[in-house]
Amino acid sequence: MINNIIDRKISIAFIFIILLIYKCASGQFSYPNPDIRTESMKETVYYLTTINPSRSYNHLDSIKKSVCYISQKFIEYGLEPKEQTFVVLDKTYVNILTSVGPLEGSRLIIGAHYDVYGNQPGADDNASAIAGLLEIARFAKNHETELPYKIEFAAYALEEPPFFGTMHMGSYIHAEFLHNNNVNVKV
């Protein structure tokens, strides 16, 4: 059953990758061979979903394993990960950020979260979205000179309850930083 869920999530992520890269590139971008590595995506989903205890906010060691894995993948793809740390309830959490494309001009933000709610593997919008994020980052890095604007990749912490919908969400922290620094974000 878990393999069927993983395969379905990988397929959804794959379609998302194709649509996103097609949209990001200029109108003259041809798309004969997308070079998508579904096995790598499956490995990411498998790794993240087998971290025990779960990747919930109260298991900091599991959160750190996720951060290390995601950062290492970015490095493997020739990207430079940066940590955006923030403190919630006296504990430090991390968003992992990296980017490709031109240094100047507007940027597109692509984000996913790696935390889970409760004690579950989190293969749905958690691990599968991270797998898609990493694959899009790898693909974008390989086609960096073709990008019309910067793409920033963000792996977020604290997107699940009890922090969902609050100012403690990793995506909120990141968006607030972008806003406060007058970063021109494509919408």
Side-chain angles (χ1 to χ4, degrees):
M1 169 137 173
I2 188 83
N3 285 336
N4 288 339
I5 293 171
I6 290 171
D7 286 342
R8 188 174 34 207
K9 296 300 179 179
I10 295 298
S11 296
I12 291 168
F14 178 74
I15 291 166
F16 176 74
I17 289 167
I18 289 173
L19 292 173
L20 180 68
I21 296 300
Y22 183 76
K23 180 176 174 154
C24 288
S26 66
Q28 298 137 3
F29 184 71
S30 64
Y31 207 61
N33 181 4
D35 183 35
I36 303 302
R37 297 183 181 165
T38 56
E39 284 305 312
S40 178
M41 295 171 69
K42 287 179 183 179
E43 289 170 14
T44 294
V45 171
Y46 181 79
Y47 176 82
L48 291 174
T49 58
T50 58
I51 293 176
N52 197 10
S54 68
R55 303 177 321 273
S56 67
Y57 75 96
N58 54 347
H59 297 130
L60 288 181
D61 287 340
S62 295
I63 292 287
K64 287 178 186 175
K65 287 179 186 176
S66 301
V67 168
C68 288
Y69 180 86
I70 295 164
S71 295
Q72 191 57 43
K73 283 294 188 182
F74 282 148
I75 291 167
E76 182 182 318
Y77 300 153
L79 300 164
E80 183 181 336
K82 294 183 169 103
E83 292 187 354
Q84 180 183 43
T85 60
F86 56 102
V87 177
V88 176
L89 301 177
D90 298 323
K91 294 179 183 174
T92 302
Y93 296 93
V94 178
N95 290 333
I96 309 114
L97 310 172
T98 195
S99 61
V100 299
L103 296 176
E104 301 298 321
S106 63
R107 70 178 81 169
L108 174 72
I109 309 299
I110 301 176
H113 70 100
Y114 59 85
D115 64 315
V116 301
Y117 175 66
N119 189 25
Q120 58 180 317
D124 56 355
D125 65 327
N126 322 64
S128 63
I130 291 294
L133 176 89
L134 292 172
E135 186 60 15
I136 295 167
R138 185 196 65 79
F139 187 87
K141 179 64 177 170
N142 289 342
H143 297 274
E144 187 168 21
T145 59
E146 301 168 42
L147 297 174
Y149 42 82
K150 180 185 278 193
I151 301 176
E152 184 167 281
F153 299 95
Y156 297 123
L158 302 189
E159 295 292 299
E160 295 285 3
F163 305 106
F164 179 75
T166 73
M167 296 185 319
H168 300 301
M169 291 172 51
S171 58
Y172 183 93
I173 301 293
H174 185 222
E176 183 177 52
F177 172 84
L178 295 169
H179 175 76
N180 290 345
N181 288 279
N182 297 315
V183 175
N184 184 5
V185 176
K186 292 189 79 59
V187 290

